[in-house]
Amino acid sequence: MAEHQGQEPRPGASTPGGQGPTSEAPPGPTTNDAAEYEAWLARSRVMLTPIAAPSILGLFGYATATFMVASNLAGWWGDKIISPIILAPLVIFFGGVAQLAAGMWAYRARDAVATAMHGTWGAFWLAWGVMQLMVAGGLLPLDTTLTEAFGFWWIGLSLTTLFGALGALGRNLGMFLTLALLAAGSALQAAGILATTSSVITAGGWVLVASSAAAFYTAGAMMLEESFGGRVILPLGRWSLRGNLPGHRMTRPFEYAAGMPGLRAGQ
């Protein structure tokens, strides 16, 4: 019996022209019946491509770039005009390219917080580095990063990062502390620039240094946990007590036993 026009072909039915069975997913449940949903779920298949935790790269890139720029803002070394120009190329690659790449991989890993935070701050550090190179080339004045227009950018960054910190609160305190300090440091930078108060800018630099320290710790704890087969080495401040016990296995790598790159986690 011929199928009605517009009706979806039955599973396994041939496509026009004899091209074989269709590869469409099984149709979803048509009602809210729990049994029908469970039956549909049992017929569904999800194809996974396991990847390493992108935030390990993203946090190390963020921590390194932020520490260098923030320590300069805090007055530990150099000055606030010429030193950023020297930092620009390294910040572009550490805080920009590496972190932006981590954000895109976090998107593949379905990690909304990491995607938003690494994507946002990776883009910011890329723009910051390019701006400093434009200053060095005479295309922008030396005090560009102290102008009102740049100060308002820190407001947007602070608000975005605040929501990221609230999202990270549902996972562990390490990521939350990193982002909470980052949001606070950004707010201080905005206040200091807009109010032309150098002491507030310096205080913001100190808070951003603290954020980079938290990022170093969090990234290190994540890397050690993955390197030791999912066992906790440095606690991340998870909400379960066992999740913070050194030696406790939190995750089991999804891998095959064959020692071929790509089949087994690691190299």
Side-chain angles (χ1 to χ4, degrees):
M1 181 176 180
E3 293 176 346
H4 296 290
Q5 184 177 3
Q7 179 179 352
E8 293 185 3
R10 297 184 303 275
S14 298
T15 57
Q19 297 177 357
T22 62
S23 59
E24 295 183 3
T30 57
T31 67
N32 291 327
D33 182 68
E36 183 179 356
Y37 173 78
E38 291 297 331
W40 168 80
L41 188 62
R43 297 193 304 269
S44 302
R45 296 294 181 268
V46 177
M47 304 301 293
L48 299 177
T49 305
I51 60 175
S55 286
I56 296 175
L57 170 63
L59 286 171
F60 274 130
Y62 159 76
T64 305
T66 302
F67 173 77
M68 294 304 299
V69 175
S71 60
N72 175 249
L73 291 172
W76 292 11
W77 59 277
D79 58 66
K80 292 180 174 62
I81 301 297
I82 303 300
S83 297
I85 297 175
I86 301 173
L87 292 175
L90 295 173
V91 170
I92 286 175
F93 285 96
F94 272 85
V97 175
Q99 197 174 181
L100 193 60
M104 297 305 98
W105 284 319
Y107 170 81
R108 185 174 180 82
R110 298 185 298 172
D111 188 330
V113 173
T115 298
M117 295 299 99
H118 295 315
T120 298
W121 280 94
F124 171 76
W125 284 126
L126 277 174
W128 184 92
V130 170
M131 185 181 300
Q132 297 300 334
L133 295 180
M134 293 176 69
V135 170
L139 300 176
L140 293 173
L142 289 174
D143 63 346
T144 297
T145 56
L146 298 176
T147 59
E148 187 178 66
F150 191 70
F152 270 89
W153 271 105
W154 285 104
I155 296 178
L157 288 168
S158 178
L159 292 173
T160 301
T161 309
L162 177 61
F163 279 104
L166 294 176
L169 191 59
R171 298 186 178 182
N172 60 72
L173 295 178
M175 186 68 78
F176 167 75
L177 184 61
T178 298
L179 295 176
L181 289 170
L182 179 56
S186 300
L188 288 172
Q189 289 298 312
I193 293 173
L194 295 177
T196 63
T197 307
S198 59
S199 60
V200 177
I201 295 177
T202 300
W206 278 87
V207 176
L208 291 176
V209 167
S211 174
S212 70
F216 273 123
Y217 177 88
T218 303
M222 293 174 66
M223 184 173 66
L224 290 174
E225 182 175 308
E226 186 166 306
S227 298
F228 284 85
R231 295 187 183 277
V232 175
I233 305 300
L234 296 175
L236 279 170
R238 293 184 173 93
W239 291 110
S240 64
L241 178 60
R242 287 179 59 82
N244 297 306
L245 295 177
H248 173 65
R249 184 185 291 276
M250 279 298 300
T251 58
R252 294 185 180 275
F254 181 77
E255 62 185 27
Y256 289 97
M260 298 173 59
L263 293 179
R264 187 173 182 178
Q267 299 296 320

